[in-house]
Amino acid sequence: MGIRKDSLYRDGVFRMGNVRVLDLSGSRTLPLGNSDFRSAVRDSVVVDKSLLVADLFRSGSKATLFCRPRRFGKSLNLSMLHCYFEMAPADSPAEAPENDVFASMAIWDEDAGAFRKHHRAYPVIHLSFNNTKAQTWYEGRRSIEENIVGEYLRHGYLAESAALSQEERALFSRIAGSHGEDELPTNSLLLLSRLLFQHHGQRTVILIDEYDAPVMSASANHYYREAVTFMKMWLTGALKDNSALAFAVLTGVQRISKESIFSDLNNLDVNTSLNVLSDERYGFTGDEITALAAYLDASAAIDEVRAWYDGYRFGNVDVYNPWSVVNYFQKGCVADVYWGNTSSNSVLGDLVRRRDAATEQKLYALMEPGGVVREPLNLSVVFPDESEVAPGALWSMLYLAGYLTTNDIETPNNTRIRRALRIPNAEIRELYRTEIIERFSSIAGSRDRLFAFHEALTAGDAAAVAHELENILLYSASFFDLASENSYHMLVLGLLFGMEGYQDPLSNRESGRGRFDICVLPQAGQERPTIILELKFAKKADRNALESLARSALEQIEDKAYVPQTTQGPDPVLRYGIAASGKTVAVAVRR
């Protein structure tokens, strides 16, 4: 508890440089899974992101959509905006500034207090669709409407408002009393904003969290067109040419294309991870991690936090995954995969399951140390009503979802630029590795079968390697997938992920006087042999010819001096020549 005696902590706020860490309760408890700003700031540690308020007014945008990966602080930020902007109820006097949490936050002092006039100055509509997931459009629409009805009920005082006509009060009461059981008019959002404007005499702020969740669910469950048609009408009426609107903020993971939902919303400002504006407001920056670690007496853990959870690039800022960081600190500074366990990794799984050689090669290139793929990003994703995403859209969806990042942020709306995409950090790399292992366990027949192949390789047992590989080819691979040496190369490369005590396999790297096909290096401190594999392919070759070809592959390893400079373990190097034709394999090995 000594840190609270330090001059950096005063009146519930820890200040380090330009960073403010709020802990009004003094509990040093992190808000794990709590996206309600009022309770989070009351009971736990919160990093100050209040300058998002200033960003909104400086942008001059009437409606802003922030697209960031899940669990990157979108809901908490929107809840913060709600608390900052919403008028106090008429029968509840506003707190004095000195008792308001925002008086301790950066926004209060920004531009000599220029943004204080917006504090508690607007009626607010706040909707969240994070629970809007349904198997049918009937259930999906009902779920959306239940959220709308809930917001009507939150403003129940409008049923008695003298500022509304009798007809308006009756219409309000009919919607508020429907409990989502009746089909609501598509102008229900527009109507509520206008009724609030009439009652308060001040234009309305509209906040919508996870606007894309109903559409993502619709895409997965084949009612995409119905959901998009409803959302388009519902949003356009409220966000365009609405004289009762002060401004609107939407959040989501995916940027659904203008052709589907936002075709008529030419006033929408879309802010993605490629944009510089508000690049510091989602996720934690390096300075914020330093301050948070210092406050929690965990500065010694910064290097591990950086390796596991840093690596994202939002605009001009390097960003840490906030969900994973909070879990890491809250659980005693134990590095683990936290973010990947919060929901389905279906987009990543779609990448790993693809069988076309070009996509497979790009996937394995990503998994290499410092690996990148160069692909254009079109962030106006159109969700197909199909089970798989088109290859061109897949990289964009992986980027938006947080499985890839890039430092190439120039001209964010240019869909022709090929950007260097990379895996952000150790946590996300582990998610890729897990998906690859799951896929190739299935290809091998089971994890036990895959591990048997690994054990045969490390034991230097050529007959067992040939036996296990032939079983995999016989029962799992199609003849149509085995048309070239590259087909076998991709298969064997995938099978080598997850070898106990080994790093991820390397492919086609320069070594000696050429390029080896595949190399698997032991992890640091592991007394295991380095494994070099050279693969050969022949059409319609018999076993004798394959055995000769395998020996030739083995000689190539020797002649080209492929072996990297590693000498760990009692048997430092195992060299394998592997020759295949159809589903027949010959293997030669030398230590």
Side-chain angles (χ1 to χ4, degrees), residues 386-398:
E386 301 171 0
S387 60
E388 284 196 350
V389 179
L394 181 63
W395 301 107
S396 298
M397 293 183 73
L398 286 163

Side-chain angles (χ1 to χ4, degrees), residues 520-535:
V520 195
L521 297 170
Q523 294 173 349
Q526 293 285 334
E527 292 193 351
R528 294 173 180 269
T530 292
I531 298 173
I532 302 285
L533 301 97
E534 184 68 24
L535 283 78

Side-chain angles (χ1 to χ4, degrees), residues 364 367-369 457 489 492-494 496-497 499 502-511 515-523 528-535 557 561-567 572-576 578:
Y364 298 141
M367 293 298 292
E368 298 247 355
L457 275 172
H489 186 121
V492 173
L493 187 62
L496 295 176
F497 279 88
M499 289 184 64
Y502 282 88
Q503 302 174 34
D504 294 337
L506 302 173
S507 173
N508 289 321
R509 287 289 191 91
E510 288 190 7
S511 180
R515 288 176 175 268
F516 56 69
D517 276 351
I518 301 173
C519 175
V520 195
L521 297 170
Q523 294 173 349
R528 294 173 180 269
T530 292
I531 298 173
I532 302 285
L533 301 97
E534 184 68 24
L535 283 78
I557 296 175
Y562 284 155
V563 179
Q565 298 300 311
T566 57
T567 54
V573 180
L574 282 172
R575 303 161 179 83
Y576 279 95
I578 299 177

Side-chain angles (χ1 to χ4, degrees), residues 106 182 221 242 250 294 369 414 432 435 461 525 527:
D182 301 325
N221 293 290
N242 178 6
L250 293 77
N414 190 325
Y432 277 81
E435 291 285 345
D461 188 336
E527 292 193 351

Side-chain angles (χ1 to χ4, degrees), residues 429-488:
R429 185 173 298 278
E430 187 60 31
L431 289 176
Y432 277 81
R433 187 177 295 114
T434 298
E435 291 285 345
I436 292 170
I437 292 168
E438 287 298 322
R439 176 194 167 187
F440 281 92
S441 293
S442 176
I443 289 174
S446 67
R447 281 214 172 194
D448 288 343
R449 177 69 71 188
L450 182 63
F451 293 159
F453 176 60
H454 293 169
E455 289 173 359
L457 275 172
T458 56
D461 188 336
V465 170
H467 174 74
E468 295 297 341
L469 193 51
E470 281 193 346
N471 275 334
I472 292 169
L473 293 173
L474 185 61
Y475 295 111
S476 303
S478 165
F479 272 112
F480 295 105
D481 295 328
L482 304 173
S484 67
E485 182 176 312
N486 189 60
S487 302
Y488 291 93

Side-chain angles (χ1 to χ4, degrees), residues 99-121:
N99 295 324
D100 192 297
V101 63
F102 290 105
S104 301
M105 300 178 76
I107 190 60
W108 207 252
D109 304 321
E110 184 73 1
D111 286 356
F115 299 99
R116 295 179 191 179
K117 64 184 178 183
H118 299 290
H119 182 234
R120 295 190 173 184

